[in-house]
Amino acid sequence: MKLSGLWLILAVLFLASPRVHAQQRNTVNGMVTDSSGQPLPGATISLLDQQLRVVQYVFSRSNGYFSFSTRITTGWLEVSFLGYKKHRVQWSPTTKSLLFRLHPEPDLLKEVVVKPRPSATLQGDTLMYLVRQFADKEDRSIGDVLRRLPGMELGQDGTIYFNGKKIDNLFIDGDDLMDGRYGLATRVIRKDLIRRVDIIQHHQPIVVLKDKVFTDKIAVNLVLQDENSLKLSAMAQVGVGFPAMAEVSVAPILLNKTFKSVNRAALNNAGTDYRNDLKQLGNMNYPDESNSQSRPLDLNLASNQPPDVPQQYYYLNKSALLQFNNMIRNKKGIQFKLNVNGYWDRNELDYGANTVSYLVNDTIRYRESQRTIHRPFWWNAGFHLQSNKATHFFNNSFRISLQKDRSTGQMDFNGHRFDQHLQQSKLEFSNDFNWMPAIRSRGIAEFRWLMGYGLNRQDLQLGDGYYFDVTPQQGYYDAVVQQIHSPSWQHHAYLSYKIPAGSFTQEYRLGYQSLPQSLQSRLELEQNGEILPYLNDPGNDLQWRNNSWYASAQYQLKFQKFRSEVRLPLYYRQLHSTQPDYQSVVQKRRLLFLPMLRFSVHFDNEKYLQASYEMQNDFGEMNQSYQGAILLNYRSLQSYSQAMQQQRLHRSSLVYYFQKSIKLFFSNLGISFDHKRAGLLLSDSFSNNIRQTVFLPYPNDQVTVSVHAGLSQYIFPLKTKADLKLQKQRAFQEQLVNGSLLRYQFDDFSVNTGLNKKLGRSVDLYHQSSISWGRMGLAEPEKQETSPRTRLFGFQQQFRASTRFLKSFLVEATARHRINRFTGFTGNGYFFLDAAIKRSGWIKGLDLELNVYNLFHERDYTIFYQSGNQSLTSQYPLRGRTFFLRLSYAL
Amino acid sequence: MKKIFLLHAALLFALSPFAQVPVKLNVVYAFTYVRDLDQPENPFQSNMILSIGKGQSRYCPELLYNDNDPKAIAARKKAQEKMENAPSGSIPVASGGPMLTVSKYGALVKEEIHKNFVTKKMDLDARVALRTYHVSAGLPDIIWSVVTDTKKIGDYDCQKATGEFAGRSYEAWFTTQIPYPDGPWKLHGLPGLILEARDSRNEISFTLKEITRNDDADVTTRSFLRDAYSINTQEKDLLKANRAFVMDPEGVMSAQAPNARLMVKNLDKPGDKTVVKIRKYNPMER
């Protein structure tokens, strides 16, 4: 096919001479070839006027030749072909050379940029977002993309919310690979591995129950780009920082239909807290009734909450993390899953705090400053076996976890200096067996057996210099030691039968639950090598057993637009508790009725109203019935006056959801009302150095009303995602303080906004703000003189701007501004600035990034908190300006 | 013997004008079409994807495009294997009966247009009810006249052209920034990609939604519909079959699969079994 050079020249010489047919009409002949001389058929030859508008055009024939005749005398002649550089010459009827040799332009398509008009597709209950439409060039992980999806919101810890509702779980290609700890998955799975993000309303993960049992859950499913992929992808990071910081992490990932694996090993001392990656964000699929696990009893160093600024600013750590999440499915569809997580850390926190307690006739102030060192260690593993089919569902999960923390603190409290040591150890294991076969006569049976064991051991030692301010043993000791030993068992088994019949589903369940627990605690004072017992009480040796039989009926009704769910469980609960030291044997038998009602109206796929009511009725927990005082920390001594007080909680809410997915608009509006009638009244007595809390058996009420609204809209002409969230809350609570009964009122109002805007092709702007007003004080105004109503105002905004330049560079600046105001204190304001420059695509897959945190070198941070009748001011030292250079490689 | 046959088949395939080429650009158009003159206020709407490769292109509904992800391919492969292994004479039907896929606009015809600008050929593939048809034809000649009106669509400078095709006159906006003589549906032949087009009766329109570039060499302009079972036919017969199907989807489907119980799948309203029929069919090609 290739023409010899001579032939080519001859042909051109012959063809190129324009011949004049008529006076004004010129016939033009020519040829288009590629750079090697091969003729190019189908190239476009256009005659343009002076404004470069096409006047006339022709395509080259299969041999590369073209010809046309024209009356035009001035303008341009342009030859173009997709994949080649445009060739444009000045046109005049005397133009001689009409051989066009086009040179390939591999990057011609760079002009053809992605111009997506983002959209979501709604199919039934599933809303689908194509990742490529929403992803931006600088996004690396799928979490970066999730943040950009309209209606979607990612919490600080990685929790995903959709239209204001927390999602039930995150699935990868339909599988719960992470066992609910999906934070890691969103951070390390590269966006290129995911084709689509599906948001599934009314998600039913159990195939047997699909289309039979209705749920209210929302799940997110990441649809794989290639579900047969055998390619191992990895994300590796190495970073060094000034002053003296380093980070290494590697996350190999393999995702396909039969094998899924998301693993990570990481080390850092640069202020990254790995605990977010270990958080249980998604549902563990526990049966509704058995999740009433009692709150753990924890001793503490009374160290403050960490400040609400980015962790890099203050977190002085040395952390290591190992995570394995592997799942394989055999040919029969049986899924084996192993999740193992290990976490080691040593972190330091310094703080100073002022606590003010407002009493009726007095105001007590505590001043403390402390340097704490925590050495947490956490190891957990889960092995799961699952078969999820149309005929049956089988699952067995075995989980084991060991959590330890050794912490020390150097305390200066009201002028007393002392050391404290705290050792905590929690061992837990559990096995959850679940078998759900579909029975031929259209019913679904279920057997579930959940068993667990936990051991909680804690040991708090307050060293020399601590002033023990409890009569009659006030004084200084060599050591004050508080010990706790608390093993507990949990058994829960039930049999159930579900009868789905189109729009009406019935479920009947018979179950047994048993929670044997015990608590031993001892408070001791050491003086000159002698151990003195605490005189006011002999500590605790509490045996506790909570057994119940229950029968429940549950109905789901689907009628046209209406869906309702009613659960009517009847419990026969037996409580048995003995405290020999107090000659206390308590035995109670009760019938408890705990109804739950949910009702929704689905106007269509995109609009629905949901109402729910729930009642909880309980005897209280073991951790709320110990009679011997426990020194929770150096300034709180807590005990309960009598075992087994009944608590009743009514919880109701009404929410309206409205979305218009084609317009990418999402909104919700809701109100909720909680009323708790507790049999225990909190009674505080404050002295200059200690707060003694006793829970007395008097009924009291706690009421919370809250109204919230949320809006999210993608504004097409502005290419902007905008979010708005409003919340107003009022709560009442009763409390005995130094003998007088006080009723407190709390008011909160908060406004949150978010804006994500793209300017042109390379500038990305993000703004987020939150304003909150709080008011707290006694509900009765006449008592106000001594216990003032306090007001709190907080405003914080974050502004981030990034721009790309020179193709592969990205500059980003993040500014955080906050103002805190609080009655009785001078307000403060902070301005933090972070900056980063990133270079991507230097070598394929390699990104280089230089971060500067806290550019303005803020060294101190003060924040206000309030709770009950106390207000707290805390000061923290910050790291100051730090530099961090990070190299990430995505394979 | 078998080897030689395979070699020949492979050669034939490679030489055929429909050999697939890697896709360079995917262009998404929003397509509106008053298919039923009785309901001009409720036009048929769909996203269409034009996948452009070197010298060739494929045009199909987004639904069909998305259906052809690896998952669906694997499922089809399995079904095909099953079919090949089944004793002769059995009709492959999904459990429960043949599926009629509809939307709120009525029956869906899965249609593909392959244009080849080197051989000047056009191939049409369409699944009408249960059958897949294939038509091989020449690229239609559209005489365009370019006018000087310009406007910007997205970031592209476009120029207007008008032309007559299949009984309608179209106004098209093309951009020389993408020097490819292609466009939505059967429209083509301008010195740049057509980004927007509408007919003078305002019954048919194509507007640009997005253009994305593809760097994955495995994504090609291959046909999603054509297989060994495609039935060769003429263009006018295909148009006729199409018309009959959208006017009475269940009727045509039952005619193709007598004795089978039809299943209806509504993409917009799962569970809704009603099928919208076209009362006054308004063909695109008059």
Side-chain angles (χ1 to χ4, degrees), chain A residues 805-825:
Chain A
F805 66 95
L806 293 179
K807 265 192 211 170
S808 59
F809 285 91
L810 179 92
V811 188
E812 187 179 277
T814 309
R816 290 184 181 82
H817 172 221
R818 56 184 67 208
I819 299 170
N820 300 312
R821 283 213 181 98
F822 189 52
T823 316
F825 291 87

PDB file of all heavy atoms in Angstrom, chain A residues 805-825:
ATOM      1  N   PHE A 805      -2.327  22.936  38.716  1.00  0.00           N
ATOM      2  CA  PHE A 805      -1.605  23.681  37.703  1.00  0.00           C
ATOM      3  C   PHE A 805      -0.526  22.800  37.130  1.00  0.00           C
ATOM      4  O   PHE A 805      -0.173  21.764  37.718  1.00  0.00           O
ATOM      5  CB  PHE A 805      -1.049  24.997  38.265  1.00  0.00           C
ATOM      6  CG  PHE A 805       0.002  24.820  39.306  1.00  0.00           C
ATOM      7  CD1 PHE A 805       1.348  24.846  38.963  1.00  0.00           C
ATOM      8  CD2 PHE A 805      -0.345  24.615  40.632  1.00  0.00           C
ATOM      9  CE1 PHE A 805       2.322  24.679  39.926  1.00  0.00           C
ATOM     10  CE2 PHE A 805       0.622  24.447  41.587  1.00  0.00           C
ATOM     11  CZ  PHE A 805       1.957  24.476  41.235  1.00  0.00           C
ATOM     12  N   LEU A 806      -0.042  23.164  35.988  1.00  0.00           N
ATOM     13  CA  LEU A 806       0.989  22.394  35.286  1.00  0.00           C
ATOM     14  C   LEU A 806       0.624  20.906  35.243  1.00  0.00           C
ATOM     15  O   LEU A 806       1.456  20.042  35.496  1.00  0.00           O
ATOM     16  CB  LEU A 806       2.350  22.552  35.962  1.00  0.00           C
ATOM     17  CG  LEU A 806       2.985  23.924  35.890  1.00  0.00           C
ATOM     18  CD1 LEU A 806       4.309  23.909  36.620  1.00  0.00           C
ATOM     19  CD2 LEU A 806       3.186  24.362  34.449  1.00  0.00           C
ATOM     20  N   LYS A 807      -0.618  20.646  34.976  1.00  0.00           N
ATOM     21  CA  LYS A 807      -1.100  19.271  34.798  1.00  0.00           C
ATOM     22  C   LYS A 807      -1.083  18.409  36.052  1.00  0.00           C
ATOM     23  O   LYS A 807      -2.056  17.824  36.423  1.00  0.00           O
ATOM     24  CB  LYS A 807      -0.278  18.548  33.722  1.00  0.00           C
ATOM     25  CG  LYS A 807      -0.889  18.603  32.355  1.00  0.00           C
ATOM     26  CD  LYS A 807      -0.149  17.635  31.482  1.00  0.00           C
ATOM     27  CE  LYS A 807      -0.143  18.145  30.051  1.00  0.00           C
ATOM     28  NZ  LYS A 807       0.753  17.374  29.228  1.00  0.00           N
ATOM     29  N   SER A 808       0.075  18.323  36.695  1.00  0.00           N
ATOM     30  CA  SER A 808       0.159  17.303  37.726  1.00  0.00           C
ATOM     31  C   SER A 808       0.331  17.879  39.132  1.00  0.00           C
ATOM     32  O   SER A 808       0.524  17.134  40.072  1.00  0.00           O
ATOM     33  CB  SER A 808       1.313  16.356  37.412  1.00  0.00           C
ATOM     34  OG  SER A 808       2.496  17.081  37.356  1.00  0.00           O
ATOM     35  N   PHE A 809       0.276  19.191  39.252  1.00  0.00           N
ATOM     36  CA  PHE A 809       0.450  19.769  40.584  1.00  0.00           C
ATOM     37  C   PHE A 809      -0.882  20.200  41.158  1.00  0.00           C
ATOM     38  O   PHE A 809      -1.763  20.666  40.433  1.00  0.00           O
ATOM     39  CB  PHE A 809       1.369  20.991  40.533  1.00  0.00           C
ATOM     40  CG  PHE A 809       2.804  20.619  40.355  1.00  0.00           C
ATOM     41  CD1 PHE A 809       3.357  20.508  39.095  1.00  0.00           C
ATOM     42  CD2 PHE A 809       3.596  20.361  41.464  1.00  0.00           C
ATOM     43  CE1 PHE A 809       4.671  20.162  38.939  1.00  0.00           C
ATOM     44  CE2 PHE A 809       4.920  20.018  41.317  1.00  0.00           C
ATOM     45  CZ  PHE A 809       5.466  19.917  40.050  1.00  0.00           C
ATOM     46  N   LEU A 810      -0.995  20.053  42.452  1.00  0.00           N
ATOM     47  CA  LEU A 810      -2.197  20.496  43.122  1.00  0.00           C
ATOM     48  C   LEU A 810      -1.776  21.263  44.372  1.00  0.00           C
ATOM     49  O   LEU A 810      -0.959  20.784  45.148  1.00  0.00           O
ATOM     50  CB  LEU A 810      -3.038  19.285  43.521  1.00  0.00           C
ATOM     51  CG  LEU A 810      -4.321  19.629  44.257  1.00  0.00           C
ATOM     52  CD1 LEU A 810      -5.462  19.771  43.277  1.00  0.00           C
ATOM     53  CD2 LEU A 810      -4.659  18.585  45.282  1.00  0.00           C
ATOM     54  N   VAL A 811      -2.326  22.446  44.518  1.00  0.00           N
ATOM     55  CA  VAL A 811      -2.052  23.204  45.738  1.00  0.00           C
ATOM     56  C   VAL A 811      -3.340  23.294  46.507  1.00  0.00           C
ATOM     57  O   VAL A 811      -4.405  23.533  45.929  1.00  0.00           O
ATOM     58  CB  VAL A 811      -1.589  24.634  45.423  1.00  0.00           C
ATOM     59  CG1 VAL A 811      -1.139  25.317  46.695  1.00  0.00           C
ATOM     60  CG2 VAL A 811      -0.480  24.609  44.435  1.00  0.00           C
ATOM     61  N   GLU A 812      -3.246  23.072  47.794  1.00  0.00           N
ATOM     62  CA  GLU A 812      -4.455  23.082  48.584  1.00  0.00           C
ATOM     63  C   GLU A 812      -4.200  23.846  49.867  1.00  0.00           C
ATOM     64  O   GLU A 812      -3.143  23.719  50.475  1.00  0.00           O
ATOM     65  CB  GLU A 812      -4.835  21.637  48.905  1.00  0.00           C
ATOM     66  CG  GLU A 812      -6.158  21.499  49.586  1.00  0.00           C
ATOM     67  CD  GLU A 812      -6.487  20.038  49.861  1.00  0.00           C
ATOM     68  OE1 GLU A 812      -6.984  19.386  48.932  1.00  0.00           O
ATOM     69  OE2 GLU A 812      -6.213  19.567  50.963  1.00  0.00           O
ATOM     70  N   ALA A 813      -5.166  24.663  50.237  1.00  0.00           N
ATOM     71  CA  ALA A 813      -5.052  25.365  51.510  1.00  0.00           C
ATOM     72  C   ALA A 813      -6.332  25.128  52.281  1.00  0.00           C
ATOM     73  O   ALA A 813      -7.420  25.160  51.715  1.00  0.00           O
ATOM     74  CB  ALA A 813      -4.854  26.851  51.270  1.00  0.00           C
ATOM     75  N   THR A 814      -6.197  24.848  53.564  1.00  0.00           N
ATOM     76  CA  THR A 814      -7.365  24.627  54.402  1.00  0.00           C
ATOM     77  C   THR A 814      -7.282  25.585  55.574  1.00  0.00           C
ATOM     78  O   THR A 814      -6.293  25.590  56.294  1.00  0.00           O
ATOM     79  CB  THR A 814      -7.379  23.184  54.943  1.00  0.00           C
ATOM     80  OG1 THR A 814      -7.211  22.298  53.850  1.00  0.00           O
ATOM     81  CG2 THR A 814      -8.674  22.876  55.645  1.00  0.00           C
ATOM     82  N   ALA A 815      -8.326  26.383  55.711  1.00  0.00           N
ATOM     83  CA  ALA A 815      -8.350  27.321  56.827  1.00  0.00           C
ATOM     84  C   ALA A 815      -9.473  26.920  57.762  1.00  0.00           C
ATOM     85  O   ALA A 815     -10.554  26.558  57.319  1.00  0.00           O
ATOM     86  CB  ALA A 815      -8.580  28.732  56.312  1.00  0.00           C
ATOM     87  N   ARG A 816      -9.186  26.953  59.046  1.00  0.00           N
ATOM     88  CA  ARG A 816     -10.221  26.666  60.032  1.00  0.00           C
ATOM     89  C   ARG A 816     -10.300  27.858  60.961  1.00  0.00           C
ATOM     90  O   ARG A 816      -9.292  28.344  61.447  1.00  0.00           O
ATOM     91  CB  ARG A 816      -9.865  25.426  60.857  1.00  0.00           C
ATOM     92  CG  ARG A 816      -9.932  24.164  60.069  1.00  0.00           C
ATOM     93  CD  ARG A 816      -9.670  22.956  60.961  1.00  0.00           C
ATOM     94  NE  ARG A 816      -9.708  21.759  60.177  1.00  0.00           N
ATOM     95  CZ  ARG A 816      -8.684  21.308  59.457  1.00  0.00           C
ATOM     96  NH1 ARG A 816      -7.547  21.960  59.451  1.00  0.00           N
ATOM     97  NH2 ARG A 816      -8.810  20.209  58.751  1.00  0.00           N
ATOM     98  N   HIS A 817     -11.508  28.285  61.167  1.00  0.00           N
ATOM     99  CA  HIS A 817     -11.700  29.453  62.000  1.00  0.00           C
ATOM    100  C   HIS A 817     -12.764  29.097  63.009  1.00  0.00           C
ATOM    101  O   HIS A 817     -13.766  28.482  62.659  1.00  0.00           O
ATOM    102  CB  HIS A 817     -12.162  30.611  61.098  1.00  0.00           C
ATOM    103  CG  HIS A 817     -12.566  31.819  61.868  1.00  0.00           C
ATOM    104  ND1 HIS A 817     -13.658  32.576  61.544  1.00  0.00           N
ATOM    105  CD2 HIS A 817     -12.021  32.391  62.959  1.00  0.00           C
ATOM    106  CE1 HIS A 817     -13.775  33.566  62.405  1.00  0.00           C
ATOM    107  NE2 HIS A 817     -12.786  33.476  63.270  1.00  0.00           N
ATOM    108  N   ARG A 818     -12.522  29.428  64.260  1.00  0.00           N
ATOM    109  CA  ARG A 818     -13.574  29.145  65.227  1.00  0.00           C
ATOM    110  C   ARG A 818     -13.631  30.201  66.313  1.00  0.00           C
ATOM    111  O   ARG A 818     -12.637  30.820  66.668  1.00  0.00           O
ATOM    112  CB  ARG A 818     -13.426  27.761  65.823  1.00  0.00           C
ATOM    113  CG  ARG A 818     -12.104  27.496  66.473  1.00  0.00           C
ATOM    114  CD  ARG A 818     -12.047  26.069  66.945  1.00  0.00           C
ATOM    115  NE  ARG A 818     -12.033  25.146  65.826  1.00  0.00           N
ATOM    116  CZ  ARG A 818     -12.510  23.918  65.894  1.00  0.00           C
ATOM    117  NH1 ARG A 818     -13.083  23.489  66.982  1.00  0.00           N
ATOM    118  NH2 ARG A 818     -12.427  23.116  64.869  1.00  0.00           N
ATOM    119  N   ILE A 819     -14.845  30.378  66.785  1.00  0.00           N
ATOM    120  CA  ILE A 819     -15.066  31.345  67.857  1.00  0.00           C
ATOM    121  C   ILE A 819     -15.855  30.620  68.929  1.00  0.00           C
ATOM    122  O   ILE A 819     -16.823  29.934  68.623  1.00  0.00           O
ATOM    123  CB  ILE A 819     -15.894  32.542  67.349  1.00  0.00           C
ATOM    124  CG1 ILE A 819     -15.146  33.253  66.222  1.00  0.00           C
ATOM    125  CG2 ILE A 819     -16.212  33.500  68.472  1.00  0.00           C
ATOM    126  CD1 ILE A 819     -15.986  34.287  65.515  1.00  0.00           C
ATOM    127  N   ASN A 820     -15.431  30.737  70.166  1.00  0.00           N
ATOM    128  CA  ASN A 820     -16.175  30.150  71.267  1.00  0.00           C
ATOM    129  C   ASN A 820     -16.504  31.272  72.247  1.00  0.00           C
ATOM    130  O   ASN A 820     -15.646  32.069  72.589  1.00  0.00           O
ATOM    131  CB  ASN A 820     -15.329  29.115  72.017  1.00  0.00           C
ATOM    132  CG  ASN A 820     -14.898  27.981  71.122  1.00  0.00           C
ATOM    133  OD1 ASN A 820     -15.714  27.407  70.396  1.00  0.00           O
ATOM    134  ND2 ASN A 820     -13.619  27.658  71.147  1.00  0.00           N
ATOM    135  N   ARG A 821     -17.749  31.300  72.678  1.00  0.00           N
ATOM    136  CA  ARG A 821     -18.129  32.260  73.720  1.00  0.00           C
ATOM    137  C   ARG A 821     -18.910  31.535  74.782  1.00  0.00           C
ATOM    138  O   ARG A 821     -19.684  30.648  74.490  1.00  0.00           O
ATOM    139  CB  ARG A 821     -19.019  33.355  73.117  1.00  0.00           C
ATOM    140  CG  ARG A 821     -18.214  34.341  72.353  1.00  0.00           C
ATOM    141  CD  ARG A 821     -18.756  35.725  72.403  1.00  0.00           C
ATOM    142  NE  ARG A 821     -17.834  36.509  71.587  1.00  0.00           N
ATOM    143  CZ  ARG A 821     -18.055  36.809  70.339  1.00  0.00           C
ATOM    144  NH1 ARG A 821     -19.199  36.498  69.778  1.00  0.00           N
ATOM    145  NH2 ARG A 821     -17.172  37.471  69.637  1.00  0.00           N
ATOM    146  N   PHE A 822     -18.701  31.980  76.022  1.00  0.00           N
ATOM    147  CA  PHE A 822     -19.305  31.265  77.114  1.00  0.00           C
ATOM    148  C   PHE A 822     -19.504  32.250  78.247  1.00  0.00           C
ATOM    149  O   PHE A 822     -18.597  33.003  78.575  1.00  0.00           O
ATOM    150  CB  PHE A 822     -18.330  30.144  77.524  1.00  0.00           C
ATOM    151  CG  PHE A 822     -18.895  29.183  78.504  1.00  0.00           C
ATOM    152  CD1 PHE A 822     -20.111  28.569  78.243  1.00  0.00           C
ATOM    153  CD2 PHE A 822     -18.211  28.871  79.654  1.00  0.00           C
ATOM    154  CE1 PHE A 822     -20.626  27.660  79.138  1.00  0.00           C
ATOM    155  CE2 PHE A 822     -18.726  27.960  80.558  1.00  0.00           C
ATOM    156  CZ  PHE A 822     -19.939  27.354  80.296  1.00  0.00           C
ATOM    157  N   THR A 823     -20.696  32.232  78.846  1.00  0.00           N
ATOM    158  CA  THR A 823     -20.985  33.157  79.938  1.00  0.00           C
ATOM    159  C   THR A 823     -19.933  33.022  81.032  1.00  0.00           C
ATOM    160  O   THR A 823     -19.612  31.916  81.447  1.00  0.00           O
ATOM    161  CB  THR A 823     -22.363  32.846  80.548  1.00  0.00           C
ATOM    162  OG1 THR A 823     -23.273  32.624  79.497  1.00  0.00           O
ATOM    163  CG2 THR A 823     -22.849  33.972  81.432  1.00  0.00           C
ATOM    164  N   GLY A 824     -19.415  34.125  81.479  1.00  0.00           N
ATOM    165  CA  GLY A 824     -18.474  34.091  82.586  1.00  0.00           C
ATOM    166  C   GLY A 824     -17.021  33.963  82.150  1.00  0.00           C
ATOM    167  O   GLY A 824     -16.132  34.024  82.957  1.00  0.00           O
ATOM    168  N   PHE A 825     -16.800  33.757  80.879  1.00  0.00           N
ATOM    169  CA  PHE A 825     -15.432  33.663  80.383  1.00  0.00           C
ATOM    170  C   PHE A 825     -15.283  34.604  79.215  1.00  0.00           C
ATOM    171  O   PHE A 825     -16.235  34.864  78.500  1.00  0.00           O
ATOM    172  CB  PHE A 825     -15.123  32.240  79.901  1.00  0.00           C
ATOM    173  CG  PHE A 825     -15.052  31.246  81.005  1.00  0.00           C
ATOM    174  CD1 PHE A 825     -16.213  30.617  81.441  1.00  0.00           C
ATOM    175  CD2 PHE A 825     -13.854  30.953  81.628  1.00  0.00           C
ATOM    176  CE1 PHE A 825     -16.167  29.695  82.469  1.00  0.00           C
ATOM    177  CE2 PHE A 825     -13.806  30.029  82.652  1.00  0.00           C
ATOM    178  CZ  PHE A 825     -14.960  29.399  83.071  1.00  0.00           C
TER     179      PHE A 825
END
